[in-house]
Structures are given as C-alpha cells and as structure tokens.
Amino acid sequence: MTEYHDPYQRSGRYLDIMIAGWWEHHGATVAEALRELPAGPVVDAGAGGGHGTRLIARTLPDTPILAVEPSPVLSAVLLSRVADDPDLRPRVTVHGDDLLAARLPERIGGMIMSNLIGHFSPHERDRLWEDLAPRLAPGAFVLVNLPPPTEPAHVERAAMSEIHVGDRTYLGWAAAEPAGDERLSWHMTYETREGDRVVSTDDVHYDWWTVSEDSLRAETAPHRLTVVPHGPAEAGLYKILRES
C-alpha cells in the first residue's frame, strides 16, 4: 500500500477552526439534503474535525455514522469530539483510512464529501465512483461540493479567515496557480498573533485537482450515476445518485 501523505500535517491545527465558517454558511443546505436520505449508515468522507459529522448526527438522530479521516492531526480532533459526546460515542465510528482504502458497508444510506474531491486524481475518482455506485441504497446519494475555481486559474492572494481565541488571533491567506491540466497549486499562509507580536507562521503548499460540473457528469455517467445540483449555485453542491 502506498504510504499516505498528509497534506494537513502542518495546517491541520488551523483547519478545523477555519473551516467552521463554511459549515455555518452552508450547513442548512447540507441538512436539507440529509433529510432526503433513506435509512442506513451515512458516511462522512474527509470528516476533518467533525463539523459534518455533528451536522449529520443532529439532522438524523437515529442514524449510524462512519466518519472517514486519514489525516492523523484531524482524526485526533474528530475522535476526541466523538468520544466526548454521549450522543455521538455509541453511533459514530471513526476510520483513519483514506476513502479509497476504507472498508465501507456493503449498503450505505448516503455520503457527504465536503471540500474533499480535489484530493483525488481523475483515475482515483473513477475508482471511487465504481466502488460507491453499487453501495448506494435506493434513494441514497453522495453529496459533493465543487469548490471554485473549477478549472485551473490564477487565484490572487486573499485573506480567508480570522479567528480570535483568548489573547491570540489566527489568520489564514490563500492563493493558487495553475499546475497543468485540471490541477491547481494552492499556497496557504497561517499566522498566529498575540497583540502586535507574530507568534508563528506556517506556509503550506498542496496540489488540488479541479472538477467542473461538466467533468463530474462525464466521469460519473459510465457508472450509471447522475448528477443533480442542490441548493444555491454559490454553494457548489451536487447530489450523485444511481440512475433509476
């Protein structure tokens, strides 16, 4: 097995608090989709520190959840949150595997893939759709978002988050450049400040495979899957369902 390279080895300590804004903004739209799922276990793929896991649990209070997160840093946050919550502890199972290596149930009631798809190459996504298609129960779907840009493009450096915790402030900036067909190279800077003093700075680079709506439709169709937009266009959310 290929050794897992954790793109969040250095940025993981910032990611959980900085991704919270996405869930605050789009959580209601995700929950609306969750309420349409049939009975059965729901997979939170790329669960991070558990924002989506907790949303699934609140929205579907009787549903078992499989939370898959391969980053050791983020998985530690996720497991601690699950273990510390008497509602989550008996029905959330945490897998520290990559989604392509995780042992999923033969039948699933649905899956959330939030801010994850760009970590998989076109070949890996083809393997993923092939594996998921027969597992989806009738009426089940994969809910995926396609973060912009959905094609390689220059992204000007911009502030993405500013979080205040105690006496410290955590800031993040992001920029990107095309790195070939369908790929971006993201450049992230994370900074911790206490007053006017810079406590620490971390610069992180990682590659991201861009996926457009058209390419998502084209790559899922051979697996008899269909793509349906969900919610406002700015959310970039899509349901991937088995053809009836």
Side-chain angles (χ1 to χ4, degrees):
M1 180 183 294
T2 303
E3 183 179 356
Y4 175 71
H5 170 70
D6 183 7
Y8 301 117
Q9 182 177 6
R10 292 172 59 196
S11 60
R13 66 192 182 111
Y14 307 98
L15 187 65
D16 185 70
I17 60 173
M18 292 189 176
I19 201 67
W22 188 93
W23 288 101
E24 291 169 4
H25 194 61
H26 299 297
T29 305
V30 174
E32 179 185 343
L34 288 170
R35 283 189 283 269
E36 300 173 11
L37 292 174
V42 173
V43 180
D44 185 6
H51 290 285
T53 304
R54 290 179 292 178
L55 178 62
I56 297 168
R58 290 194 303 269
T59 309
L60 305 173
D62 299 317
T63 297
I65 302 166
L66 176 61
V68 180
E69 177 49 62
S71 167
V73 177
L74 294 172
S75 185
V77 176
L78 173 64
L79 183 59
S80 294
R81 279 190 174 143
V82 169
D84 200 40
D85 188 318
D87 174 58
L88 298 180
R89 193 184 309 120
R91 62 191 183 102
V92 177
T93 301
V94 176
H95 277 212
D97 298 314
D98 181 273
L99 183 58
L100 288 168
R103 295 184 62 182
L104 302 179
E106 290 187 9
R107 265 287 190 264
I108 60 174
M111 175 181 286
I112 291 180
M113 291 178 59
S114 60
N115 304 299
L116 174 68
I117 196 167
H119 286 303
F120 298 111
S121 69
H123 173 68
E124 289 170 328
R125 294 197 305 271
D126 186 66
R127 287 174 50 202
L128 186 62
W129 307 136
E130 181 179 13
D131 180 67
L132 290 178
R135 296 183 191 273
L136 292 173
F141 52 81
V142 179
L143 185 68
V144 60
N145 72 315
L146 304 182
T150 56
E151 296 181 351
H154 171 76
V155 178
E156 198 70 36
R157 188 176 189 267
M160 62 177 178
S161 190
E162 181 175 330
I163 309 294
H164 303 278
V165 182
D167 293 332
R168 294 192 170 185
T169 301
Y170 301 86
L171 304 103
W173 293 268
E177 293 290 343
D181 294 340
E182 304 178 75
R183 295 186 83 177
L184 279 175
S185 178
W186 280 101
H187 310 277
M188 322 294 282
T189 300
Y190 301 94
E191 191 172 271
T192 302
R193 294 180 183 173
E194 189 168 318
D196 295 329
R197 181 171 66 95
V198 176
V199 177
S200 65
T201 301
D202 285 289
D203 290 302
V204 179
H205 305 265
Y206 67 89
D207 288 336
W208 181 265
W209 292 93
T210 58
V211 185
S212 68
E213 180 178 345
D214 287 343
S215 60
L216 185 64
R217 292 183 186 278
E219 68 187 35
T220 54
H223 302 286
R224 300 182 60 82
L225 295 167
T226 185
V227 176
V228 178
H230 174 74
E234 59 106 10
L237 287 164
Y238 297 86
K239 299 173 186 172
I240 302 173
L241 311 96
R242 292 174 66 181
E243 293 179 2
S244 56

mmCIF file of all heavy atoms in Angstrom, residues 91-116:
data_model
loop_
_atom_site.group_PDB
_atom_site.id
_atom_site.type_symbol
_atom_site.label_atom_id
_atom_site.label_comp_id
_atom_site.label_asym_id
_atom_site.label_seq_id
_atom_site.Cartn_x
_atom_site.Cartn_y
_atom_site.Cartn_z
ATOM 1 N N ARG A 91 -22.698 5.821 18.215
ATOM 2 C CA ARG A 91 -23.134 5.610 16.832
ATOM 3 C C ARG A 91 -22.223 6.192 15.761
ATOM 4 O O ARG A 91 -22.520 6.096 14.573
ATOM 5 C CB ARG A 91 -24.555 6.144 16.635
ATOM 6 C CG ARG A 91 -24.756 7.625 16.847
ATOM 7 C CD ARG A 91 -26.263 7.924 16.876
ATOM 8 N NE ARG A 91 -26.561 9.337 17.013
ATOM 9 C CZ ARG A 91 -26.939 10.134 16.017
ATOM 10 N NH1 ARG A 91 -27.081 9.647 14.793
ATOM 11 N NH2 ARG A 91 -27.206 11.407 16.232
ATOM 12 N N VAL A 92 -21.097 6.767 16.164
ATOM 13 C CA VAL A 92 -20.123 7.260 15.184
ATOM 14 C C VAL A 92 -18.866 6.409 15.265
ATOM 15 O O VAL A 92 -18.245 6.303 16.321
ATOM 16 C CB VAL A 92 -19.764 8.744 15.420
ATOM 17 C CG1 VAL A 92 -18.686 9.178 14.424
ATOM 18 C CG2 VAL A 92 -20.996 9.633 15.291
ATOM 19 N N THR A 93 -18.497 5.808 14.137
ATOM 20 C CA THR A 93 -17.262 5.043 14.035
ATOM 21 C C THR A 93 -16.255 5.864 13.242
ATOM 22 O O THR A 93 -16.570 6.345 12.145
ATOM 23 C CB THR A 93 -17.494 3.697 13.325
ATOM 24 O OG1 THR A 93 -18.470 2.949 14.058
ATOM 25 C CG2 THR A 93 -16.201 2.894 13.235
ATOM 26 N N VAL A 94 -15.073 6.053 13.792
ATOM 27 C CA VAL A 94 -14.035 6.850 13.144
ATOM 28 C C VAL A 94 -13.040 5.931 12.449
ATOM 29 O O VAL A 94 -12.469 5.041 13.085
ATOM 30 C CB VAL A 94 -13.306 7.758 14.159
ATOM 31 C CG1 VAL A 94 -12.163 8.507 13.481
ATOM 32 C CG2 VAL A 94 -14.289 8.727 14.814
ATOM 33 N N HIS A 95 -12.860 6.119 11.142
ATOM 34 C CA HIS A 95 -11.863 5.382 10.374
ATOM 35 C C HIS A 95 -10.730 6.327 10.008
ATOM 36 O O HIS A 95 -10.973 7.377 9.407
ATOM 37 C CB HIS A 95 -12.476 4.828 9.078
ATOM 38 C CG HIS A 95 -13.215 3.537 9.263
ATOM 39 N ND1 HIS A 95 -13.281 2.578 8.284
ATOM 40 C CD2 HIS A 95 -13.904 3.048 10.320
ATOM 41 C CE1 HIS A 95 -13.998 1.553 8.725
ATOM 42 N NE2 HIS A 95 -14.382 1.816 9.960
ATOM 43 N N GLY A 96 -9.507 5.950 10.316
ATOM 44 C CA GLY A 96 -8.356 6.766 9.977
ATOM 45 C C GLY A 96 -7.740 6.377 8.647
ATOM 46 O O GLY A 96 -6.522 6.483 8.477
ATOM 47 N N ASP A 97 -8.583 5.925 7.708
ATOM 48 C CA ASP A 97 -8.092 5.485 6.402
ATOM 49 C C ASP A 97 -8.420 6.515 5.328
ATOM 50 O O ASP A 97 -9.354 7.308 5.463
ATOM 51 C CB ASP A 97 -8.762 4.156 5.999
ATOM 52 C CG ASP A 97 -8.452 3.027 6.960
ATOM 53 O OD1 ASP A 97 -7.277 2.885 7.325
ATOM 54 O OD2 ASP A 97 -9.390 2.307 7.338
ATOM 55 N N ASP A 98 -7.664 6.456 4.243
ATOM 56 C CA ASP A 98 -8.054 7.168 3.029
ATOM 57 C C ASP A 98 -9.356 6.557 2.530
ATOM 58 O O ASP A 98 -9.598 5.359 2.680
ATOM 59 C CB ASP A 98 -6.948 7.015 1.987
ATOM 60 C CG ASP A 98 -7.262 7.748 0.707
ATOM 61 O OD1 ASP A 98 -7.928 7.158 -0.165
ATOM 62 O OD2 ASP A 98 -6.843 8.906 0.568
ATOM 63 N N LEU A 99 -10.222 7.374 1.915
ATOM 64 C CA LEU A 99 -11.525 6.883 1.474
ATOM 65 C C LEU A 99 -11.395 5.707 0.518
ATOM 66 O O LEU A 99 -12.209 4.773 0.555
ATOM 67 C CB LEU A 99 -12.315 8.019 0.812
ATOM 68 C CG LEU A 99 -13.734 7.692 0.342
ATOM 69 C CD1 LEU A 99 -14.595 7.205 1.503
ATOM 70 C CD2 LEU A 99 -14.364 8.902 -0.329
ATOM 71 N N LEU A 100 -10.382 5.710 -0.329
ATOM 72 C CA LEU A 100 -10.206 4.617 -1.286
ATOM 73 C C LEU A 100 -9.784 3.318 -0.605
ATOM 74 O O LEU A 100 -9.931 2.238 -1.188
ATOM 75 C CB LEU A 100 -9.179 5.007 -2.350
ATOM 76 C CG LEU A 100 -9.643 6.053 -3.366
ATOM 77 C CD1 LEU A 100 -8.460 6.565 -4.173
ATOM 78 C CD2 LEU A 100 -10.717 5.486 -4.283
ATOM 79 N N ALA A 101 -9.250 3.413 0.605
ATOM 80 C CA ALA A 101 -8.799 2.224 1.325
ATOM 81 C C ALA A 101 -9.747 1.813 2.443
ATOM 82 O O ALA A 101 -9.636 0.701 2.972
ATOM 83 C CB ALA A 101 -7.406 2.461 1.910
ATOM 84 N N ALA A 102 -10.691 2.691 2.807
ATOM 85 C CA ALA A 102 -11.580 2.415 3.931
ATOM 86 C C ALA A 102 -12.534 1.266 3.609
ATOM 87 O O ALA A 102 -12.992 1.120 2.477
ATOM 88 C CB ALA A 102 -12.380 3.664 4.282
ATOM 89 N N ARG A 103 -12.841 0.449 4.593
ATOM 90 C CA ARG A 103 -13.799 -0.644 4.431
ATOM 91 C C ARG A 103 -15.195 -0.093 4.705
ATOM 92 O O ARG A 103 -15.604 0.091 5.849
ATOM 93 C CB ARG A 103 -13.463 -1.787 5.378
ATOM 94 C CG ARG A 103 -12.125 -2.457 5.090
ATOM 95 C CD ARG A 103 -11.881 -3.645 6.000
ATOM 96 N NE ARG A 103 -12.893 -4.686 5.802
ATOM 97 C CZ ARG A 103 -12.929 -5.820 6.509
ATOM 98 N NH1 ARG A 103 -12.025 -6.027 7.465
ATOM 99 N NH2 ARG A 103 -13.869 -6.720 6.282
ATOM 100 N N LEU A 104 -15.926 0.165 3.645
ATOM 101 C CA LEU A 104 -17.257 0.748 3.758
ATOM 102 C C LEU A 104 -18.308 -0.351 3.846
ATOM 103 O O LEU A 104 -18.098 -1.467 3.360
ATOM 104 C CB LEU A 104 -17.547 1.637 2.544
ATOM 105 C CG LEU A 104 -16.574 2.794 2.284
ATOM 106 C CD1 LEU A 104 -17.000 3.560 1.034
ATOM 107 C CD2 LEU A 104 -16.504 3.727 3.483
ATOM 108 N N PRO A 105 -19.473 -0.052 4.436
ATOM 109 C CA PRO A 105 -20.562 -1.033 4.449
ATOM 110 C C PRO A 105 -20.996 -1.386 3.024
ATOM 111 O O PRO A 105 -20.852 -0.577 2.101
ATOM 112 C CB PRO A 105 -21.681 -0.298 5.188
ATOM 113 C CG PRO A 105 -20.998 0.781 5.967
ATOM 114 C CD PRO A 105 -19.815 1.185 5.156
ATOM 115 N N GLU A 106 -21.528 -2.597 2.844
ATOM 116 C CA GLU A 106 -21.996 -3.005 1.520
ATOM 117 C C GLU A 106 -23.129 -2.120 1.038
ATOM 118 O O GLU A 106 -23.296 -1.924 -0.171
ATOM 119 C CB GLU A 106 -22.444 -4.468 1.551
ATOM 120 C CG GLU A 106 -21.301 -5.454 1.724
ATOM 121 C CD GLU A 106 -21.762 -6.888 1.582
ATOM 122 O OE1 GLU A 106 -22.934 -7.116 1.174
ATOM 123 O OE2 GLU A 106 -20.953 -7.787 1.872
ATOM 124 N N ARG A 107 -23.949 -1.627 1.964
ATOM 125 C CA ARG A 107 -25.036 -0.720 1.631
ATOM 126 C C ARG A 107 -24.927 0.519 2.510
ATOM 127 O O ARG A 107 -24.761 0.418 3.725
ATOM 128 C CB ARG A 107 -26.392 -1.381 1.879
ATOM 129 C CG ARG A 107 -27.010 -2.039 0.660
ATOM 130 C CD ARG A 107 -27.530 -0.971 -0.319
ATOM 131 N NE ARG A 107 -28.329 -1.555 -1.376
ATOM 132 C CZ ARG A 107 -27.865 -1.884 -2.582
ATOM 133 N NH1 ARG A 107 -26.597 -1.681 -2.865
ATOM 134 N NH2 ARG A 107 -28.677 -2.380 -3.500
ATOM 135 N N ILE A 108 -24.996 1.703 1.893
ATOM 136 C CA ILE A 108 -24.966 2.948 2.656
ATOM 137 C C ILE A 108 -26.191 3.785 2.304
ATOM 138 O O ILE A 108 -26.688 3.754 1.177
ATOM 139 C CB ILE A 108 -23.671 3.752 2.418
ATOM 140 C CG1 ILE A 108 -23.498 4.122 0.945
ATOM 141 C CG2 ILE A 108 -22.464 3.003 2.934
ATOM 142 C CD1 ILE A 108 -22.307 5.035 0.685
ATOM 143 N N GLY A 109 -26.654 4.533 3.298
ATOM 144 C CA GLY A 109 -27.800 5.399 3.080
ATOM 145 C C GLY A 109 -27.426 6.721 2.461
ATOM 146 O O GLY A 109 -28.296 7.489 2.044
ATOM 147 N N GLY A 110 -26.128 7.017 2.383
ATOM 148 C CA GLY A 110 -25.666 8.255 1.775
ATOM 149 C C GLY A 110 -24.251 8.580 2.202
ATOM 150 O O GLY A 110 -23.680 7.926 3.079
ATOM 151 N N MET A 111 -23.687 9.604 1.560
ATOM 152 C CA MET A 111 -22.323 10.026 1.862
ATOM 153 C C MET A 111 -22.218 11.532 1.658
ATOM 154 O O MET A 111 -22.795 12.088 0.725
ATOM 155 C CB MET A 111 -21.323 9.312 0.958
ATOM 156 C CG MET A 111 -19.876 9.792 1.116
ATOM 157 S SD MET A 111 -18.697 8.960 0.000
ATOM 158 C CE MET A 111 -18.587 7.348 0.780
ATOM 159 N N ILE A 112 -21.472 12.175 2.543
ATOM 160 C CA ILE A 112 -21.092 13.577 2.367
ATOM 161 C C ILE A 112 -19.608 13.618 2.022
ATOM 162 O O ILE A 112 -18.789 13.002 2.694
ATOM 163 C CB ILE A 112 -21.342 14.398 3.646
ATOM 164 C CG1 ILE A 112 -22.835 14.560 3.923
ATOM 165 C CG2 ILE A 112 -20.707 15.776 3.527
ATOM 166 C CD1 ILE A 112 -23.120 15.366 5.160
ATOM 167 N N MET A 113 -19.274 14.355 0.956
ATOM 168 C CA MET A 113 -17.870 14.618 0.608
ATOM 169 C C MET A 113 -17.715 16.131 0.519
ATOM 170 O O MET A 113 -17.915 16.719 -0.539
ATOM 171 C CB MET A 113 -17.511 13.973 -0.736
ATOM 172 C CG MET A 113 -17.458 12.476 -0.741
ATOM 173 S SD MET A 113 -17.076 11.820 -2.406
ATOM 174 C CE MET A 113 -15.489 12.588 -2.743
ATOM 175 N N SER A 114 -17.393 16.773 1.633
ATOM 176 C CA SER A 114 -17.275 18.229 1.636
ATOM 177 C C SER A 114 -15.809 18.644 1.541
ATOM 178 O O SER A 114 -14.977 18.182 2.312
ATOM 179 C CB SER A 114 -17.914 18.822 2.894
ATOM 180 O OG SER A 114 -17.278 18.334 4.047
ATOM 181 N N ASN A 115 -15.530 19.511 0.558
ATOM 182 C CA ASN A 115 -14.182 20.058 0.380
ATOM 183 C C ASN A 115 -13.124 18.958 0.305
ATOM 184 O O ASN A 115 -12.040 19.065 0.880
ATOM 185 C CB ASN A 115 -13.860 21.034 1.517
ATOM 186 C CG ASN A 115 -14.882 22.146 1.627
ATOM 187 O OD1 ASN A 115 -15.059 22.917 0.691
ATOM 188 N ND2 ASN A 115 -15.580 22.216 2.740
ATOM 189 N N LEU A 116 -13.461 17.892 -0.436
ATOM 190 C CA LEU A 116 -12.595 16.711 -0.478
ATOM 191 C C LEU A 116 -12.216 16.292 -1.886
ATOM 192 O O LEU A 116 -11.100 15.808 -2.116
ATOM 193 C CB LEU A 116 -13.303 15.539 0.221
ATOM 194 C CG LEU A 116 -12.611 14.173 0.161
ATOM 195 C CD1 LEU A 116 -11.322 14.198 0.985
ATOM 196 C CD2 LEU A 116 -13.533 13.069 0.651
#
